[in-house]
Amino acid sequence: MRFANLTRQPDDPLLRIIGQHAADPRADKIDLGVGVFRDEEGRTPVMTAVKAAETRLLAEQPSKSYLGPEGDTGFVRALGRLVVADTVSADRIVGLQTPGGTGALRLCAELLARAGVPRIWIGSPSWANHAPLFRQAGVEPAMIPCYDLTAQLFDLSGFLKGLDGATAGDAVLLHGCCHNPIGIDPDAAGWAAIAEHVAARSLTPVVDLAYQGLGDGFDQDAAGARTILAAVPEALLAYSCDKNFGLYRERTGALFALSPDAGTGAVVLSNLLALARANWSMPPDHGAAVVRLILEDEALTREWRDELETMRQRLEGLRSTLAAGGRIGAIDLGAVAHGKGMFATLPLSPSQVEWLRDRHGIYMAGSGRINIAGFNSAAIGRFHAALRDMAANGVA
Ligand code: LMR
C-alpha cells in the first residue's frame, strides 16, 4: 500500500485556466492564459503550409515503422541549419528530435545531471515550468531576479551580477527570443555581454528557443542564440515548433548540443540517445515529418515563412494597440511596447487578477502574464476599460 504515501498535487495553475475559461458562460470573456497563437476570430488555425505537408504525408508516407530514439534525422538536420546557420562548423553540432520543447528541456536537464552539473542559473521570473523541470532532473535552479515589471525592462547588469555567484561548470538558462513570461529580450549588446560573461566564467549555456519568428523576424530571433553559440565551447539549445509551426499538440521539438569537437559531440549524442530511450524510447513522428516536408520544399518553406510573418505582425500590432492605452491607474501600458512576441507580464497583484476574471471575464496567469494573441481589437478596448474600472474601484 504505497499509494498512501502520496500527497495530492495541485492542478497546474496555468493549464487550469483553459478549463476555467471554457466553463465561463459570458460571451465577451477574454482568454489571455495559455500561450497559443490566435487569429482575430480567436481561432488557432492549422497553418496552410502544415495542412499541405500533412496532405502530402498522408498520400506518400511509406511506413509507420519505428525510426529510433533520434527521431526524424532529416527534420533535425533541416532545423539545425535553420537555427544555427553558419555560426559554428556543422561537425560541432549534434541533435535529436524530442517530444516538444519541454521534452528537449527535460533531456537537457538529465544530460546536465549526468555530466555532474549541479545548478542552473535562471533569470526570474521565467516560464513556470523551468525551475520544477530542472529540479526534478537533479539540477538545482538558482533564480536571479532581473525584470522590472513596472518599467517593463530587463536588468542586464543585475543578471550579470547574479551570474557572478555561479561557479565554473554551472549552467545558465537563456530565453532565445520573446521571453516567456516577460516579453523583454536583451538587445545585441546585451547578448554580447552575456556571451562574454558566460564564456569567461566557463558556464554552460542552455538556450530555450520556442518562439523563433514571432519577435523581430525569423533570423533576427536566432541572433542571440548564435551570439552565445559562437562564444562558448559547449552549449545546449532546446527548440520548440509548437508556436512557429502551430503544431502544439503534435509535440514537435529538438535538442541540439554544441561540443568543442566532433569526438566529444558523438559521446554527447550517445548519452542523449540513451536518455531518450529510457524516457520515451522514440518521439512521436507526425509533427516532425510535417516540418521536414516543409523545410525540404522551397515553395512550402516560403508559404510557411509568409504565414509566420503575418502572425508576427499581428502580435506586433496588438502589442502597440495595447500599449496605446497609456497609463491606467498604477499600470503604464505604454511600457509593454518594449517587449515582443506573445507575452507581457503586467504588475498586477493576485487579487487584481482574480477581480478582472470575476468581474470582467478576463483570464490570465496568476502572475499577471497575458498572452497578447488572446486579444482582438474589440477585446483590447474592453481590457483598457476593465483596467480603468479596476483603478476606479481601488482594487489593489
Ligand atoms: C505557455 O507558457 O503558456 C506555453 O508554453 C504552454 C505551457 O506549456 O506552459
Side-chain angles (χ1 to χ4, degrees), residues 14-15 33-35 127 180 211 243 343 369:
L14 182 64
L15 302 184
V34 75
W127 181 46
N180 177 4
Y211 299 89
K243 320 291 194 298
F343 302 114
R369 188 194 79 168

Side-chain angles (χ1 to χ4, degrees), residues 12 14-15 33-36 102 127-129 180-181 210-211 240 242-243 248 251 342-343 369 371:
D12 183 275
L14 182 64
L15 302 184
V34 75
V36 292
T102 306
W127 181 46
N129 210 16
N180 177 4
Y211 299 89
S240 170
D242 289 9
K243 320 291 194 298
Y248 309 89
R251 314 309 302 133
M342 270 188 185
F343 302 114
R369 188 194 79 168
N371 170 18

Side-chain angles (χ1 to χ4, degrees), residues 195-234:
E196 199 191 311
H197 217 78
V198 164
R201 281 157 186 75
S202 297
L203 307 179
T204 302
V206 172
V207 181
D208 185 357
L209 191 54
Y211 299 89
Q212 191 183 5
L214 291 171
D216 286 329
F218 199 75
D219 270 308
Q220 295 91 317
D221 289 350
R226 290 175 189 161
T227 302
I228 298 292
L229 295 182
V232 294
E234 295 181 355

